[in-house]
């Protein structure tokens, strides 16, 4: 989970000037819009050293949800969200990235330790069992990062409860633009973001080792936001281009930050 052969991760500074307005969406639409996406039932790809988007699955059977006739919440925006995002990450940085394959993993699966960054959608429905809680705790203590995304303010409370089970003494610390995660690749000057569907204000939290913001960032929490919604539909014109651009910038920053620290 170190930078190793992935460095240097930044290309020439001109990328920062080009990564604005329509330029980003043109990269997405022109780059992979016509390609075939992997179906949800295809097997995970084996680890080969490249950055692979690792989406966390979780069981909802205890809530009476078994997936029939509907998509489980953790599955939202798959696979187009990660395909678009990894294509951009590959184009804009020197991170060796799988762009057409990604993995879906349970937190109790030992395979998670091969992937430094995990992504979870809709943590408002997440209720990990003991094995899953231990798997995530061990992953984070070894230097990993998990990104919690795609949830509203009402769902935030469940996430807080589950985090407290994993790290009982942890605190969710609200982040401002001075934190290095917002300057790891793109310089993000402010955090005036909104949820793409409900329009509510987003708040960004971190959970740190020893509750110390100068130490290891273990959890990146996009409260009342949905970055992958922007990623999924960035080639469809559903959202303003500028908003999709900002969602990509945040995602790229999270990955670069995790891979270089």
């Amino acid at each position: 989970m170190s930078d190793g052969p992935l460095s240097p991760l930044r290309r020439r500074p001109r990328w920062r000037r080009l990564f604005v307005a329509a330029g980003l969406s043109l990269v997405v639409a022109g780059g992979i819009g016509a390609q075939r996406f992997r179906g949800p039932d295809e097997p995970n790809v084996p680890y080969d050293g490249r950055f692979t988007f690792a989406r966390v699955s979780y069981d909802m059977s205890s809530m009476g949800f078994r997936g029939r006739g509907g998509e489980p919440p953790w599955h939202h925006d798959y696979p187009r969200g990660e395909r678009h995002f990894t294509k951009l990450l590959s184009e804009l940085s020197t991170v060796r990235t799988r762009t057409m394959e990604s993995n879906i993993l349970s937190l109790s699966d030992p395979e998670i330790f091969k992937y430094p960054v995990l992504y979870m959608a809709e943590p408002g429905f997440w209720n990990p069992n003991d094995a899953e809680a231990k798997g995530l705790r061990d992953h984070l203590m070894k230097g990993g990062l998990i990104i919690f995304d795609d949830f509203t303010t009402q769902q935030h409370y469940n996430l807080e409860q589950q985090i407290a089970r994993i790290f009982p003494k942890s605190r969710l610390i609200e982040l401002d633009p001075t934190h290095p995660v917002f300057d790891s690749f793109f310089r993000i000057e402010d955090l005036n973001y909104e949820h793409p569907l409900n329009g509510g204000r987003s708040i960004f939290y971190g959970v740190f080792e020893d509750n110390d913001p100068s130490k290891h960032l273990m959890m990146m929490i996009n409260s009342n936001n949905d970055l992958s919604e922007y990623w999924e539909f960035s080639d469809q014109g559903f959202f303003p281009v500028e908003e999709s651009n900002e969602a990509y910038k945040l995602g790229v920053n999270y990955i670069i930050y995790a891979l270089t620290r």
Side-chain angles (χ1 to χ4, degrees), residues 62-198:
S62 63
M63 301 173 66
F65 188 99
R66 288 173 171 76
R68 292 183 179 179
E71 179 187 30
W74 59 261
H75 195 274
H76 288 178
D77 305 317
Y78 173 89
R80 289 175 56 86
E82 43 257 65
R83 300 300 183 271
H84 287 168
F85 174 73
T86 52
K87 176 64 175 176
L88 263 293
L89 179 65
S90 175
E91 293 285 344
L92 297 174
S93 76
T94 57
V95 177
R96 295 175 56 246
T97 307
R98 286 187 181 272
T99 59
M100 289 302 296
E101 303 89 17
S102 60
N103 287 344
I104 296 175
L105 299 164
S106 165
L107 291 172
S108 60
D109 187 339
E111 288 289 304
I112 64 173
F113 295 100
K114 296 178 180 178
Y115 305 97
V117 183
L118 305 175
Y119 172 91
M120 182 187 291
E122 298 268 15
F125 298 94
W126 176 48
N127 183 23
N129 59 35
D130 290 344
E132 291 168 333
K134 182 181 186 303
L136 179 57
R137 184 186 307 112
D138 292 346
H139 181 276
L140 301 179
M141 293 304 296
K142 288 179 180 290
L145 170 70
I146 186 167
I147 299 167
F148 291 109
D149 187 44
D150 189 2
F151 67 101
T152 63
T153 300
Q154 291 82 0
Q155 295 172 318
H156 179 92
Y157 302 108
N158 178 69
L159 177 58
E160 281 192 293
Q161 291 176 357
Q162 305 312 327
I163 290 174
R165 288 178 54 201
I166 297 167
F167 293 113
K169 296 182 180 180
S170 66
R171 292 189 296 112
L172 276 65
I173 298 175
E174 184 174 349
L175 303 180
D176 63 38
T178 64
H179 191 274
V181 73
F182 300 116
D183 193 25
S184 59
F185 192 89
F186 295 103
R187 179 71 186 106
I188 296 174
E189 302 287 349
D190 63 64
L191 297 177
N192 294 324
Y193 293 87
E194 296 180 349
H195 191 286
L197 302 180
N198 67 33

Side-chain angles (χ1 to χ4, degrees), residues 34-49:
Q35 297 186 35
R36 183 183 68 87
F37 287 115
R38 180 167 67 99
D41 297 326
E42 293 187 24
N44 287 343
V45 292
Y47 175 77
D48 68 355

Side-chain angles (χ1 to χ4, degrees), residues 25-37 80 83-84 87 100 232 234-236:
S25 291
L26 287 174
V27 172
V28 172
I32 62 175
Q35 297 186 35
R36 183 183 68 87
F37 287 115
R80 289 175 56 86
R83 300 300 183 271
H84 287 168
K87 176 64 175 176
M100 289 302 296
E232 179 181 10
S234 59
D235 62 344
Q236 301 295 308

